[in-house]
Amino acid sequence: MNEFEVIPAVDMQDGQVVQLVGGERGTETTYGDPVEAATDWVEAGAETLHLVDLDGAFEGERKNADAIDAIVDACEIDLQLGGGIRTAEGARGLLDQGLDRVILGTAAVENPEIVEEISETHPGTVTVSLDAKDGEVVVSGWQEGTGLDPVEAATRYENLGAGAILFTNVDVEGQLDGVRTEPVERLAAAVDIPVIASGGVATIEDILALREAGASAVVVGSALYEGEFTLEDAQQAVEES
């Protein structure tokens, strides 16, 4: 990930693409078939896709595995997957199957050494997801607080071999109400590995603000699916700014 990227999200629940508001189940808007969505984003110019198995995130079981397998077969761009990855063995299996990066949230908080275990055999492939609500890292589908400060956690995972940090601000996630740059600035200043920002993007200006804050990439979901702007327009604005 050398240049700043705008990465479309393909969040999956019950075999459909969805976007949640504030991470709450029951708030989802549905956007159809995940494989169709993924291939559409590739055709639109995406260089990376952010895949999330929400059933896996909430329940710890990867229920959208068939759709994810089909996306791996259909898309020849970088793919990163989070949700329900709980073991080093499971993560290695996904990487060997064709995914480029695995995203660990709950598993990394409960067992930080898993980051080191995976990194030993697949260096640079682990992205640790730090999802923050009211400034505290939360896990289990954003339902449980951990008492962890995102900056302290990010530094620890960098030392364990994480290749990147995915920071999601749950307070603004899915609301199309704008981003908060200060937590991203703090994280980007604290670690040398890439920080991928997520949550709250409503406009192209939000994307540019996150880049200015030090993010290496931004994951966008609702704004793209709701047509607030196109992927092409966002990429063009990044290139021209």
PDB file of all heavy atoms in Angstrom, residues 177-215:
ATOM      1  N   ASP A 177     -22.310  11.260   8.465  1.00  0.00           N
ATOM      2  CA  ASP A 177     -22.371  12.526   9.197  1.00  0.00           C
ATOM      3  C   ASP A 177     -20.996  13.159   9.366  1.00  0.00           C
ATOM      4  O   ASP A 177     -20.817  14.053  10.190  1.00  0.00           O
ATOM      5  CB  ASP A 177     -23.008  12.262  10.569  1.00  0.00           C
ATOM      6  CG  ASP A 177     -23.604  13.513  11.171  1.00  0.00           C
ATOM      7  OD1 ASP A 177     -23.936  14.433  10.402  1.00  0.00           O
ATOM      8  OD2 ASP A 177     -23.717  13.573  12.409  1.00  0.00           O
ATOM      9  N   GLY A 178     -20.023  12.673   8.598  1.00  0.00           N
ATOM     10  CA  GLY A 178     -18.683  13.255   8.676  1.00  0.00           C
ATOM     11  C   GLY A 178     -17.741  12.485   9.584  1.00  0.00           C
ATOM     12  O   GLY A 178     -18.158  11.630  10.376  1.00  0.00           O
ATOM     13  N   VAL A 179     -16.456  12.781   9.457  1.00  0.00           N
ATOM     14  CA  VAL A 179     -15.416  12.045  10.172  1.00  0.00           C
ATOM     15  C   VAL A 179     -14.853  12.880  11.318  1.00  0.00           C
ATOM     16  O   VAL A 179     -15.062  14.094  11.389  1.00  0.00           O
ATOM     17  CB  VAL A 179     -14.264  11.658   9.212  1.00  0.00           C
ATOM     18  CG1 VAL A 179     -14.775  10.743   8.119  1.00  0.00           C
ATOM     19  CG2 VAL A 179     -13.600  12.904   8.613  1.00  0.00           C
ATOM     20  N   ARG A 180     -14.129  12.204  12.185  1.00  0.00           N
ATOM     21  CA  ARG A 180     -13.362  12.878  13.233  1.00  0.00           C
ATOM     22  C   ARG A 180     -11.896  12.541  13.002  1.00  0.00           C
ATOM     23  O   ARG A 180     -11.523  11.367  13.044  1.00  0.00           O
ATOM     24  CB  ARG A 180     -13.833  12.410  14.614  1.00  0.00           C
ATOM     25  CG  ARG A 180     -15.284  12.774  14.894  1.00  0.00           C
ATOM     26  CD  ARG A 180     -15.753  12.277  16.237  1.00  0.00           C
ATOM     27  NE  ARG A 180     -17.207  12.448  16.388  1.00  0.00           N
ATOM     28  CZ  ARG A 180     -17.917  11.899  17.362  1.00  0.00           C
ATOM     29  NH1 ARG A 180     -17.319  11.142  18.269  1.00  0.00           N
ATOM     30  NH2 ARG A 180     -19.222  12.102  17.431  1.00  0.00           N
ATOM     31  N   THR A 181     -11.113  13.545  12.768  1.00  0.00           N
ATOM     32  CA  THR A 181      -9.721  13.298  12.351  1.00  0.00           C
ATOM     33  C   THR A 181      -8.758  13.159  13.522  1.00  0.00           C
ATOM     34  O   THR A 181      -7.703  12.549  13.375  1.00  0.00           O
ATOM     35  CB  THR A 181      -9.223  14.428  11.442  1.00  0.00           C
ATOM     36  OG1 THR A 181      -9.358  15.685  12.132  1.00  0.00           O
ATOM     37  CG2 THR A 181     -10.028  14.480  10.150  1.00  0.00           C
ATOM     38  N   GLU A 182      -9.099  13.696  14.673  1.00  0.00           N
ATOM     39  CA  GLU A 182      -8.136  13.730  15.778  1.00  0.00           C
ATOM     40  C   GLU A 182      -7.654  12.330  16.210  1.00  0.00           C
ATOM     41  O   GLU A 182      -6.446  12.123  16.389  1.00  0.00           O
ATOM     42  CB  GLU A 182      -8.746  14.493  16.970  1.00  0.00           C
ATOM     43  CG  GLU A 182      -7.757  14.801  18.084  1.00  0.00           C
ATOM     44  CD  GLU A 182      -7.681  13.696  19.132  1.00  0.00           C
ATOM     45  OE1 GLU A 182      -8.668  12.937  19.265  1.00  0.00           O
ATOM     46  OE2 GLU A 182      -6.634  13.575  19.788  1.00  0.00           O
ATOM     47  N   PRO A 183      -8.557  11.335  16.356  1.00  0.00           N
ATOM     48  CA  PRO A 183      -8.061  10.002  16.732  1.00  0.00           C
ATOM     49  C   PRO A 183      -7.126   9.407  15.673  1.00  0.00           C
ATOM     50  O   PRO A 183      -6.178   8.698  16.010  1.00  0.00           O
ATOM     51  CB  PRO A 183      -9.346   9.170  16.852  1.00  0.00           C
ATOM     52  CG  PRO A 183     -10.452  10.149  17.026  1.00  0.00           C
ATOM     53  CD  PRO A 183     -10.034  11.358  16.268  1.00  0.00           C
ATOM     54  N   VAL A 184      -7.377   9.694  14.401  1.00  0.00           N
ATOM     55  CA  VAL A 184      -6.513   9.195  13.321  1.00  0.00           C
ATOM     56  C   VAL A 184      -5.146   9.873  13.392  1.00  0.00           C
ATOM     57  O   VAL A 184      -4.108   9.222  13.228  1.00  0.00           O
ATOM     58  CB  VAL A 184      -7.173   9.424  11.949  1.00  0.00           C
ATOM     59  CG1 VAL A 184      -6.247   8.988  10.818  1.00  0.00           C
ATOM     60  CG2 VAL A 184      -8.500   8.675  11.868  1.00  0.00           C
ATOM     61  N   GLU A 185      -5.138  11.161  13.659  1.00  0.00           N
ATOM     62  CA  GLU A 185      -3.872  11.889  13.805  1.00  0.00           C
ATOM     63  C   GLU A 185      -3.025  11.279  14.916  1.00  0.00           C
ATOM     64  O   GLU A 185      -1.814  11.085  14.770  1.00  0.00           O
ATOM     65  CB  GLU A 185      -4.137  13.365  14.110  1.00  0.00           C
ATOM     66  CG  GLU A 185      -4.626  14.173  12.923  1.00  0.00           C
ATOM     67  CD  GLU A 185      -4.954  15.610  13.326  1.00  0.00           C
ATOM     68  OE1 GLU A 185      -4.624  16.006  14.461  1.00  0.00           O
ATOM     69  OE2 GLU A 185      -5.546  16.325  12.497  1.00  0.00           O
ATOM     70  N   ARG A 186      -3.651  10.995  16.052  1.00  0.00           N
ATOM     71  CA  ARG A 186      -2.928  10.413  17.197  1.00  0.00           C
ATOM     72  C   ARG A 186      -2.323   9.052  16.831  1.00  0.00           C
ATOM     73  O   ARG A 186      -1.167   8.772  17.140  1.00  0.00           O
ATOM     74  CB  ARG A 186      -3.867  10.244  18.394  1.00  0.00           C
ATOM     75  CG  ARG A 186      -4.276  11.547  19.059  1.00  0.00           C
ATOM     76  CD  ARG A 186      -5.181  11.281  20.257  1.00  0.00           C
ATOM     77  NE  ARG A 186      -4.486  10.497  21.283  1.00  0.00           N
ATOM     78  CZ  ARG A 186      -5.021   9.466  21.928  1.00  0.00           C
ATOM     79  NH1 ARG A 186      -6.251   9.048  21.648  1.00  0.00           N
ATOM     80  NH2 ARG A 186      -4.341   8.826  22.856  1.00  0.00           N
ATOM     81  N   LEU A 187      -3.120   8.221  16.169  1.00  0.00           N
ATOM     82  CA  LEU A 187      -2.646   6.888  15.789  1.00  0.00           C
ATOM     83  C   LEU A 187      -1.504   6.965  14.782  1.00  0.00           C
ATOM     84  O   LEU A 187      -0.474   6.309  14.935  1.00  0.00           O
ATOM     85  CB  LEU A 187      -3.793   6.078  15.181  1.00  0.00           C
ATOM     86  CG  LEU A 187      -4.641   5.242  16.121  1.00  0.00           C
ATOM     87  CD1 LEU A 187      -5.759   4.580  15.340  1.00  0.00           C
ATOM     88  CD2 LEU A 187      -3.804   4.199  16.829  1.00  0.00           C
ATOM     89  N   ALA A 188      -1.699   7.769  13.739  1.00  0.00           N
ATOM     90  CA  ALA A 188      -0.693   7.861  12.683  1.00  0.00           C
ATOM     91  C   ALA A 188       0.628   8.394  13.212  1.00  0.00           C
ATOM     92  O   ALA A 188       1.706   8.005  12.742  1.00  0.00           O
ATOM     93  CB  ALA A 188      -1.210   8.740  11.550  1.00  0.00           C
ATOM     94  N   ALA A 189       0.565   9.261  14.216  1.00  0.00           N
ATOM     95  CA  ALA A 189       1.783   9.809  14.806  1.00  0.00           C
ATOM     96  C   ALA A 189       2.495   8.795  15.701  1.00  0.00           C
ATOM     97  O   ALA A 189       3.705   8.898  15.931  1.00  0.00           O
ATOM     98  CB  ALA A 189       1.458  11.067  15.602  1.00  0.00           C
ATOM     99  N   ALA A 190       1.740   7.804  16.186  1.00  0.00           N
ATOM    100  CA  ALA A 190       2.289   6.877  17.182  1.00  0.00           C
ATOM    101  C   ALA A 190       2.950   5.644  16.572  1.00  0.00           C
ATOM    102  O   ALA A 190       3.791   5.006  17.208  1.00  0.00           O
ATOM    103  CB  ALA A 190       1.181   6.431  18.135  1.00  0.00           C
ATOM    104  N   VAL A 191       2.576   5.297  15.340  1.00  0.00           N
ATOM    105  CA  VAL A 191       3.105   4.058  14.733  1.00  0.00           C
ATOM    106  C   VAL A 191       3.711   4.357  13.366  1.00  0.00           C
ATOM    107  O   VAL A 191       3.387   5.364  12.734  1.00  0.00           O
ATOM    108  CB  VAL A 191       2.012   2.981  14.591  1.00  0.00           C
ATOM    109  CG1 VAL A 191       1.507   2.536  15.952  1.00  0.00           C
ATOM    110  CG2 VAL A 191       0.849   3.468  13.725  1.00  0.00           C
ATOM    111  N   ASP A 192       4.583   3.451  12.928  1.00  0.00           N
ATOM    112  CA  ASP A 192       5.215   3.594  11.610  1.00  0.00           C
ATOM    113  C   ASP A 192       4.514   2.778  10.535  1.00  0.00           C
ATOM    114  O   ASP A 192       4.777   2.961   9.348  1.00  0.00           O
ATOM    115  CB  ASP A 192       6.687   3.171  11.681  1.00  0.00           C
ATOM    116  CG  ASP A 192       7.512   4.138  12.516  1.00  0.00           C
ATOM    117  OD1 ASP A 192       7.226   5.358  12.463  1.00  0.00           O
ATOM    118  OD2 ASP A 192       8.422   3.686  13.231  1.00  0.00           O
ATOM    119  N   ILE A 193       3.652   1.849  10.946  1.00  0.00           N
ATOM    120  CA  ILE A 193       2.916   1.046   9.970  1.00  0.00           C
ATOM    121  C   ILE A 193       1.697   1.830   9.477  1.00  0.00           C
ATOM    122  O   ILE A 193       1.261   2.781  10.129  1.00  0.00           O
ATOM    123  CB  ILE A 193       2.486  -0.316  10.567  1.00  0.00           C
ATOM    124  CG1 ILE A 193       1.666  -0.118  11.850  1.00  0.00           C
ATOM    125  CG2 ILE A 193       3.698  -1.207  10.808  1.00  0.00           C
ATOM    126  CD1 ILE A 193       1.135  -1.407  12.464  1.00  0.00           C
ATOM    127  N   PRO A 194       1.135   1.465   8.316  1.00  0.00           N
ATOM    128  CA  PRO A 194      -0.012   2.204   7.787  1.00  0.00           C
ATOM    129  C   PRO A 194      -1.215   2.182   8.724  1.00  0.00           C
ATOM    130  O   PRO A 194      -1.497   1.165   9.378  1.00  0.00           O
ATOM    131  CB  PRO A 194      -0.338   1.468   6.479  1.00  0.00           C
ATOM    132  CG  PRO A 194       0.926   0.783   6.097  1.00  0.00           C
ATOM    133  CD  PRO A 194       1.590   0.409   7.377  1.00  0.00           C
ATOM    134  N   VAL A 195      -1.921   3.296   8.777  1.00  0.00           N
ATOM    135  CA  VAL A 195      -3.199   3.390   9.490  1.00  0.00           C
ATOM    136  C   VAL A 195      -4.290   3.571   8.443  1.00  0.00           C
ATOM    137  O   VAL A 195      -4.272   4.528   7.668  1.00  0.00           O
ATOM    138  CB  VAL A 195      -3.211   4.567  10.480  1.00  0.00           C
ATOM    139  CG1 VAL A 195      -4.599   4.746  11.079  1.00  0.00           C
ATOM    140  CG2 VAL A 195      -2.183   4.349  11.590  1.00  0.00           C
ATOM    141  N   ILE A 196      -5.222   2.630   8.411  1.00  0.00           N
ATOM    142  CA  ILE A 196      -6.362   2.686   7.495  1.00  0.00           C
ATOM    143  C   ILE A 196      -7.546   3.225   8.299  1.00  0.00           C
ATOM    144  O   ILE A 196      -7.877   2.685   9.352  1.00  0.00           O
ATOM    145  CB  ILE A 196      -6.688   1.288   6.934  1.00  0.00           C
ATOM    146  CG1 ILE A 196      -5.452   0.680   6.255  1.00  0.00           C
ATOM    147  CG2 ILE A 196      -7.857   1.357   5.962  1.00  0.00           C
ATOM    148  CD1 ILE A 196      -5.585  -0.808   5.971  1.00  0.00           C
ATOM    149  N   ALA A 197      -8.169   4.282   7.820  1.00  0.00           N
ATOM    150  CA  ALA A 197      -9.267   4.911   8.553  1.00  0.00           C
ATOM    151  C   ALA A 197     -10.613   4.431   8.030  1.00  0.00           C
ATOM    152  O   ALA A 197     -10.772   4.160   6.841  1.00  0.00           O
ATOM    153  CB  ALA A 197      -9.175   6.426   8.441  1.00  0.00           C
ATOM    154  N   SER A 198     -11.583   4.364   8.920  1.00  0.00           N
ATOM    155  CA  SER A 198     -12.928   3.921   8.550  1.00  0.00           C
ATOM    156  C   SER A 198     -13.943   4.559   9.488  1.00  0.00           C
ATOM    157  O   SER A 198     -13.653   4.784  10.657  1.00  0.00           O
ATOM    158  CB  SER A 198     -13.009   2.394   8.633  1.00  0.00           C
ATOM    159  OG  SER A 198     -14.312   1.929   8.398  1.00  0.00           O
ATOM    160  N   GLY A 199     -15.124   4.842   8.954  1.00  0.00           N
ATOM    161  CA  GLY A 199     -16.198   5.327   9.805  1.00  0.00           C
ATOM    162  C   GLY A 199     -16.553   6.778   9.568  1.00  0.00           C
ATOM    163  O   GLY A 199     -15.731   7.668   9.754  1.00  0.00           O
ATOM    164  N   GLY A 200     -17.782   7.016   9.101  1.00  0.00           N
ATOM    165  CA  GLY A 200     -18.313   8.361   9.036  1.00  0.00           C
ATOM    166  C   GLY A 200     -18.124   9.104   7.735  1.00  0.00           C
ATOM    167  O   GLY A 200     -18.610  10.227   7.593  1.00  0.00           O
ATOM    168  N   VAL A 201     -17.416   8.509   6.762  1.00  0.00           N
ATOM    169  CA  VAL A 201     -17.151   9.242   5.529  1.00  0.00           C
ATOM    170  C   VAL A 201     -18.459   9.553   4.807  1.00  0.00           C
ATOM    171  O   VAL A 201     -19.229   8.658   4.482  1.00  0.00           O
ATOM    172  CB  VAL A 201     -16.218   8.436   4.596  1.00  0.00           C
ATOM    173  CG1 VAL A 201     -16.121   9.111   3.235  1.00  0.00           C
ATOM    174  CG2 VAL A 201     -14.838   8.299   5.214  1.00  0.00           C
ATOM    175  N   ALA A 202     -18.693  10.839   4.566  1.00  0.00           N
ATOM    176  CA  ALA A 202     -19.909  11.271   3.873  1.00  0.00           C
ATOM    177  C   ALA A 202     -19.603  12.022   2.588  1.00  0.00           C
ATOM    178  O   ALA A 202     -20.447  12.081   1.694  1.00  0.00           O
ATOM    179  CB  ALA A 202     -20.749  12.156   4.793  1.00  0.00           C
ATOM    180  N   THR A 203     -18.409  12.596   2.504  1.00  0.00           N
ATOM    181  CA  THR A 203     -18.048  13.423   1.350  1.00  0.00           C
ATOM    182  C   THR A 203     -16.612  13.141   0.940  1.00  0.00           C
ATOM    183  O   THR A 203     -15.826  12.560   1.701  1.00  0.00           O
ATOM    184  CB  THR A 203     -18.149  14.924   1.692  1.00  0.00           C
ATOM    185  OG1 THR A 203     -17.163  15.230   2.707  1.00  0.00           O
ATOM    186  CG2 THR A 203     -19.533  15.294   2.203  1.00  0.00           C
ATOM    187  N   ILE A 204     -16.269  13.584  -0.244  1.00  0.00           N
ATOM    188  CA  ILE A 204     -14.883  13.479  -0.689  1.00  0.00           C
ATOM    189  C   ILE A 204     -13.969  14.316   0.213  1.00  0.00           C
ATOM    190  O   ILE A 204     -12.823  13.932   0.482  1.00  0.00           O
ATOM    191  CB  ILE A 204     -14.770  13.907  -2.167  1.00  0.00           C
ATOM    192  CG1 ILE A 204     -15.415  12.828  -3.060  1.00  0.00           C
ATOM    193  CG2 ILE A 204     -13.313  14.128  -2.573  1.00  0.00           C
ATOM    194  CD1 ILE A 204     -15.512  13.186  -4.525  1.00  0.00           C
ATOM    195  N   GLU A 205     -14.495  15.421   0.733  1.00  0.00           N
ATOM    196  CA  GLU A 205     -13.704  16.252   1.655  1.00  0.00           C
ATOM    197  C   GLU A 205     -13.316  15.462   2.904  1.00  0.00           C
ATOM    198  O   GLU A 205     -12.232  15.661   3.456  1.00  0.00           O
ATOM    199  CB  GLU A 205     -14.500  17.510   2.043  1.00  0.00           C
ATOM    200  CG  GLU A 205     -14.609  18.554   0.957  1.00  0.00           C
ATOM    201  CD  GLU A 205     -15.521  18.141  -0.206  1.00  0.00           C
ATOM    202  OE1 GLU A 205     -16.447  17.306   0.015  1.00  0.00           O
ATOM    203  OE2 GLU A 205     -15.304  18.629  -1.335  1.00  0.00           O
ATOM    204  N   ASP A 206     -14.203  14.566   3.358  1.00  0.00           N
ATOM    205  CA  ASP A 206     -13.880  13.715   4.505  1.00  0.00           C
ATOM    206  C   ASP A 206     -12.678  12.821   4.194  1.00  0.00           C
ATOM    207  O   ASP A 206     -11.796  12.610   5.038  1.00  0.00           O
ATOM    208  CB  ASP A 206     -15.072  12.828   4.882  1.00  0.00           C
ATOM    209  CG  ASP A 206     -16.205  13.593   5.528  1.00  0.00           C
ATOM    210  OD1 ASP A 206     -15.943  14.635   6.161  1.00  0.00           O
ATOM    211  OD2 ASP A 206     -17.356  13.142   5.405  1.00  0.00           O
ATOM    212  N   ILE A 207     -12.654  12.282   2.978  1.00  0.00           N
ATOM    213  CA  ILE A 207     -11.535  11.423   2.567  1.00  0.00           C
ATOM    214  C   ILE A 207     -10.236  12.218   2.576  1.00  0.00           C
ATOM    215  O   ILE A 207      -9.214  11.764   3.107  1.00  0.00           O
ATOM    216  CB  ILE A 207     -11.809  10.836   1.166  1.00  0.00           C
ATOM    217  CG1 ILE A 207     -12.984   9.851   1.226  1.00  0.00           C
ATOM    218  CG2 ILE A 207     -10.562  10.160   0.599  1.00  0.00           C
ATOM    219  CD1 ILE A 207     -13.447   9.363  -0.123  1.00  0.00           C
ATOM    220  N   LEU A 208     -10.271  13.417   2.016  1.00  0.00           N
ATOM    221  CA  LEU A 208      -9.063  14.249   1.970  1.00  0.00           C
ATOM    222  C   LEU A 208      -8.621  14.652   3.377  1.00  0.00           C
ATOM    223  O   LEU A 208      -7.426  14.737   3.661  1.00  0.00           O
ATOM    224  CB  LEU A 208      -9.319  15.481   1.105  1.00  0.00           C
ATOM    225  CG  LEU A 208      -9.671  15.197  -0.361  1.00  0.00           C
ATOM    226  CD1 LEU A 208      -9.943  16.491  -1.101  1.00  0.00           C
ATOM    227  CD2 LEU A 208      -8.561  14.405  -1.060  1.00  0.00           C
ATOM    228  N   ALA A 209      -9.581  14.868   4.274  1.00  0.00           N
ATOM    229  CA  ALA A 209      -9.243  15.228   5.655  1.00  0.00           C
ATOM    230  C   ALA A 209      -8.551  14.072   6.370  1.00  0.00           C
ATOM    231  O   ALA A 209      -7.606  14.286   7.143  1.00  0.00           O
ATOM    232  CB  ALA A 209     -10.509  15.636   6.411  1.00  0.00           C
ATOM    233  N   LEU A 210      -8.992  12.855   6.111  1.00  0.00           N
ATOM    234  CA  LEU A 210      -8.354  11.690   6.737  1.00  0.00           C
ATOM    235  C   LEU A 210      -6.945  11.482   6.190  1.00  0.00           C
ATOM    236  O   LEU A 210      -6.033  11.109   6.932  1.00  0.00           O
ATOM    237  CB  LEU A 210      -9.216  10.441   6.529  1.00  0.00           C
ATOM    238  CG  LEU A 210     -10.527  10.427   7.338  1.00  0.00           C
ATOM    239  CD1 LEU A 210     -11.442   9.314   6.858  1.00  0.00           C
ATOM    240  CD2 LEU A 210     -10.230  10.276   8.828  1.00  0.00           C
ATOM    241  N   ARG A 211      -6.769  11.728   4.902  1.00  0.00           N
ATOM    242  CA  ARG A 211      -5.413  11.645   4.357  1.00  0.00           C
ATOM    243  C   ARG A 211      -4.523  12.701   5.006  1.00  0.00           C
ATOM    244  O   ARG A 211      -3.386  12.406   5.389  1.00  0.00           O
ATOM    245  CB  ARG A 211      -5.422  11.827   2.843  1.00  0.00           C
ATOM    246  CG  ARG A 211      -4.018  11.655   2.245  1.00  0.00           C
ATOM    247  CD  ARG A 211      -3.980  11.786   0.748  1.00  0.00           C
ATOM    248  NE  ARG A 211      -4.227  13.154   0.310  1.00  0.00           N
ATOM    249  CZ  ARG A 211      -3.987  13.585  -0.933  1.00  0.00           C
ATOM    250  NH1 ARG A 211      -3.521  12.740  -1.843  1.00  0.00           N
ATOM    251  NH2 ARG A 211      -4.230  14.823  -1.267  1.00  0.00           N
ATOM    252  N   GLU A 212      -5.047  13.901   5.161  1.00  0.00           N
ATOM    253  CA  GLU A 212      -4.291  14.984   5.801  1.00  0.00           C
ATOM    254  C   GLU A 212      -3.931  14.621   7.243  1.00  0.00           C
ATOM    255  O   GLU A 212      -2.891  15.021   7.758  1.00  0.00           O
ATOM    256  CB  GLU A 212      -5.126  16.271   5.771  1.00  0.00           C
ATOM    257  CG  GLU A 212      -4.392  17.514   6.202  1.00  0.00           C
ATOM    258  CD  GLU A 212      -3.301  17.960   5.241  1.00  0.00           C
ATOM    259  OE1 GLU A 212      -3.365  17.601   4.036  1.00  0.00           O
ATOM    260  OE2 GLU A 212      -2.382  18.648   5.697  1.00  0.00           O
ATOM    261  N   ALA A 213      -4.805  13.849   7.891  1.00  0.00           N
ATOM    262  CA  ALA A 213      -4.578  13.435   9.275  1.00  0.00           C
ATOM    263  C   ALA A 213      -3.514  12.353   9.398  1.00  0.00           C
ATOM    264  O   ALA A 213      -3.098  12.021  10.513  1.00  0.00           O
ATOM    265  CB  ALA A 213      -5.886  12.947   9.891  1.00  0.00           C
ATOM    266  N   GLY A 214      -3.102  11.783   8.256  1.00  0.00           N
ATOM    267  CA  GLY A 214      -2.036  10.793   8.292  1.00  0.00           C
ATOM    268  C   GLY A 214      -2.439   9.387   7.912  1.00  0.00           C
ATOM    269  O   GLY A 214      -1.610   8.468   7.946  1.00  0.00           O
ATOM    270  N   ALA A 215      -3.714   9.198   7.556  1.00  0.00           N
ATOM    271  CA  ALA A 215      -4.147   7.855   7.143  1.00  0.00           C
ATOM    272  C   ALA A 215      -3.478   7.467   5.825  1.00  0.00           C
ATOM    273  O   ALA A 215      -3.238   8.315   4.961  1.00  0.00           O
ATOM    274  CB  ALA A 215      -5.662   7.818   6.982  1.00  0.00           C
TER     275      ALA A 215
END
